[in-house]
Amino acid sequence: MNRWGVLFTTLALLLPGAAAAQDKPTLTVYTYSSFVGKYGPGAKVKDAFEKSCACTLAWASSDDSGALLGRLKLEGDQTKADAVLGLDMNLAAEAKAANLFAPHEQMTSGVAVRVPWADETFIPFDWGHLAFVYDSSKLATPPTSLKELIDNPDGPKIVLEDPRTSAPGLGFLLWMQTVYGDKSGEAWTKLKPRIVTFTKGWSEAYGLFLKGEADMVMSYATSPAYHIGVEKKTQYKAALFSEGHYAHIEIAGVTRATKQPELAKKFLAFVLSDAFQSLMPEGNWMMPARPLINGLPQSFADVIKPEKTLLMAPEQVRDNRRAYVDAWLNATVR
C-alpha cells in the first residue's frame, strides 16, 4: 500500500460512519443453502433485519436441515451460530436432546401452522403440507387418496426423495408410517414397482418430474403457486388425498453458545413479524407461520386445503427414525 493509500485509509477510519460500521455487532445465523441461494429469500431477510437491528446479519449455510443439525452437533458448544433457521419439526426432539438451544422467549399466540404451538425452544417460521404434484395436461385423473395411489398397480409412476438425506423424503416416510403403521412395509412393497427412483434431495426429484421422467413427484402443496407466480403456468397441481396430508413445519431457535443473546432473540422476534413472514410465500414458497396483514398473494389462491393435517410427535420420530428407515430399506432397496 502506498502512503496515499495509508492516508486515505486512516482518514476513513476516523469518519463517524466508518467507526459506527465497525462497532456494529454481527449476528451469525445458520440455515440451509436454498434459503440463501439465488432464488431464496435470504438476501431480502438480511436487508430487512439490518434496517432495524444496527447490526450485520451473516448467513452460514448447510445443504439441508439434516446436514444443518449434523453440523451443529459436531460443533457443539464451539458453534459460531447465534441462531438457527431451517430445522424442521421432524428433527426438533433430536435437536433438543443435543442441548444446543436456549428457550426462545417469544410470544407465539399468533402462530397458525395447523397444529397447536407450545414449544418453548423453537418457533415456526413457515410451513406447508406435503403433496404429490402432477401435470394436469398429462395426468387427467390423479389418485384421490394414498390408498388409491398404492393399491393401483397401473397407477402413476412417481419420483421420491431419500428419507435419509431429504426433508420431504423423511416427511413422506412418516406420512406412510402415520397412515399404515406396522403395515407400512407392505405398502412400500406395493408401491415399489412404480417408484422411478429415490433422489438425494427435492431439487433432483422435481427436476426429473419436470423432464417427464415421472407422472408425480413428492413435493409441497404450495409448489404449484411457484409455477403460477413465476412462470404463469397453471397446469401443475397438487393432488388432494382423503387421508389427510403430512405437515412440514420449519423452525428457528437461539443457541446456548451465542455471544449475542439479546440480538439473537431480537432476530427471532423479527422472524415472527409481518416484515419477515410476508417474504415467505413468494420467497420460500411456503405458507407463513402467522396470518399476513395483507393476506396471501394471488398465486396462493388455489393451494389445496386438506381437511386433516398429519404430524408425528417429534419424540416419536427421534426414537423410531432408524427403525422406520430400516423398514423402508427392507421393502424398497434390499
Side-chain angles (χ1 to χ4, degrees):
M1 180 183 296
N2 65 39
R3 57 187 178 183
W4 288 103
V6 173
L7 174 61
F8 290 137
T9 300
T10 303
L11 290 173
L13 291 174
L14 292 174
L15 293 172
Q22 284 195 335
D23 290 341
K24 283 184 178 180
T26 295
L27 184 77
T28 301
V29 180
Y30 283 14
T31 188
Y32 52 80
S33 57
S34 62
F35 192 89
V36 292
K38 182 178 179 181
Y39 301 105
K44 290 183 178 179
V45 169
K46 175 181 166 69
D47 288 345
F49 184 60
E50 288 182 346
K51 286 178 181 175
S52 64
C53 71
C55 72
T56 298
L57 193 164
W59 295 114
S61 65
S62 298
D63 285 347
D64 55 28
S65 56
L68 183 56
L69 179 57
R71 178 178 180 177
L72 287 165
K73 292 169 75 172
L74 184 66
E75 293 178 349
D77 292 339
Q78 303 304 310
T79 184
K80 296 185 183 305
D82 297 302
V84 177
L85 182 99
L87 299 177
D88 63 66
M89 279 301 287
N90 294 328
L91 300 174
E94 188 175 340
K96 286 181 186 178
N99 198 32
L100 297 171
F101 290 90
H104 60 65
E105 300 181 6
Q106 303 297 317
M107 293 290 291
T108 57
S109 55
V111 162
V113 292
R114 294 292 294 267
V115 294
W117 195 267
D119 197 291
E120 295 181 350
T121 303
F122 297 111
I123 61 168
F125 69 89
D126 67 14
W127 73 283
H129 287 108
L130 296 180
F132 280 97
V133 172
Y134 65 100
D135 184 338
S136 61
S137 69
K138 298 178 180 177
L139 182 64
T141 54
T144 58
S145 69
L146 188 59
K147 186 175 188 305
E148 182 183 341
L149 172 69
I150 289 170
D151 288 349
N152 182 2
D154 299 318
K157 293 188 178 301
I158 60 175
V159 59
L160 299 172
E161 299 86 358
D162 190 323
R164 296 167 298 180
T165 56
S166 161
L170 176 60
F172 184 60
L173 176 76
L174 300 175
W175 188 353
M176 290 279 281
Q177 193 67 36
T178 301
V179 172
Y180 285 95
D182 58 9
K183 303 290 186 185
S184 62
E186 297 173 21
W188 278 114
T189 301
K190 281 186 179 179
L191 187 60
K192 181 180 176 180
R194 286 177 288 112
I195 300 172
V196 174
T197 188
F198 291 97
T199 62
K200 180 181 177 183
W202 174 88
S203 59
E204 297 95 330
Y206 212 84
L208 289 174
F209 163 69
L210 291 178
K211 288 179 180 177
E213 298 293 327
D215 302 308
M216 305 178 83
V217 59
M218 174 45 46
S219 189
Y220 301 94
T222 50
S223 296
Y226 170 83
H227 296 287
I228 294 170
V230 176
E231 301 174 341
K232 312 305 178 190
K233 294 179 178 178
T234 59
Q235 74 265 36
Y236 296 105
K237 311 287 186 183
L240 184 62
F241 283 1
S242 59
E243 298 96 339
H245 288 238
Y246 200 85
H248 182 74
I249 303 174
E250 299 195 293
I251 56 179
V254 172
T255 65
R256 290 187 181 279
T258 177
K259 302 295 191 295
Q260 303 283 351
E262 295 307 314
L263 188 55
K265 289 174 186 173
K266 187 173 183 178
F267 178 70
L268 289 196
F270 170 72
V271 166
L272 290 174
S273 73
D274 201 69
F276 178 99
Q277 291 294 314
S278 63
L279 296 174
M280 293 302 101
E282 291 190 333
N284 218 27
W285 297 100
M286 295 286 279
M287 299 292 288
R290 60 190 307 168
L292 302 178
I293 292 174
N294 293 322
L296 289 168
Q298 186 59 34
S299 58
F300 277 60
D302 294 327
V303 171
I304 60 169
K305 299 176 178 60
E307 291 186 4
K308 187 175 182 181
T309 295
L310 310 175
L311 186 66
M312 190 176 288
E315 293 76 16
Q316 184 177 350
V317 179
R318 177 196 61 199
D319 296 342
N320 297 280
R321 182 157 64 120
R322 179 168 296 179
Y324 296 157
V325 168
D326 285 346
W328 162 76
L329 282 170
N330 285 330
T332 61
V333 178
R334 292 170 180 164

